[in-house]
Amino acid sequence: MPKGYWIARVDVRDAEGYKDYVTAAKPAFDRFGAVFLARGGAHEKAEGPGRDRNVIIEFPSLAAAHDCYHSPEYQRAVAIRQKVADGEIVLVEGV
């Protein structure tokens, strides 16, 4: 079964508040087997406007990625993140 991935691009407006999001999201990530492949760090904007923070998270399947995003645990974290950051998250099936 192919793995599933979150690809997130984020501009953090409040770094201290973003720490609360990270703490709130951890239970969902732990529950659904998330593995962070890229989280912040150096990057190059090769095309398009880009964002300051780029994250790739691997899950055992696309269903697990979907279930994590839509879980009550993660939705509580979303409410925090949307107050302190702007961005996009795409769920993608691996090859």
Side-chain angles (χ1 to χ4, degrees):
M1 172 185 328
K3 300 215 179 204
Y5 299 87
W6 286 17
I7 301 171
R9 301 169 354 125
V10 181
D11 287 330
V12 176
R13 290 182 272 112
D14 175 354
E16 285 302 310
Y18 196 79
K19 291 176 185 177
D20 295 334
Y21 157 73
V22 170
T23 299
K26 186 176 182 339
F29 293 144
D30 290 346
R31 178 176 167 209
F32 291 96
V35 176
F36 285 79
L37 302 178
R39 181 177 9 196
H43 66 279
E44 175 184 341
K45 296 176 188 176
E47 287 189 34
R51 296 263 185 191
D52 289 334
R53 184 172 179 80
N54 301 282
V55 181
I56 302 172
I57 308 171
E58 181 180 82
F59 291 86
S61 65
L62 183 58
H66 173 273
D67 291 347
C68 182
Y69 183 83
H70 294 283
S71 70
E73 300 95 329
Y74 190 71
Q75 288 305 302
R76 283 190 289 277
V78 167
I80 297 168
R81 179 179 42 80
Q82 290 177 341
K83 292 177 186 175
V84 299
D86 300 308
E88 304 85 32
I89 298 175
V90 178
L91 282 58
V92 180
E93 184 176 58
V95 293

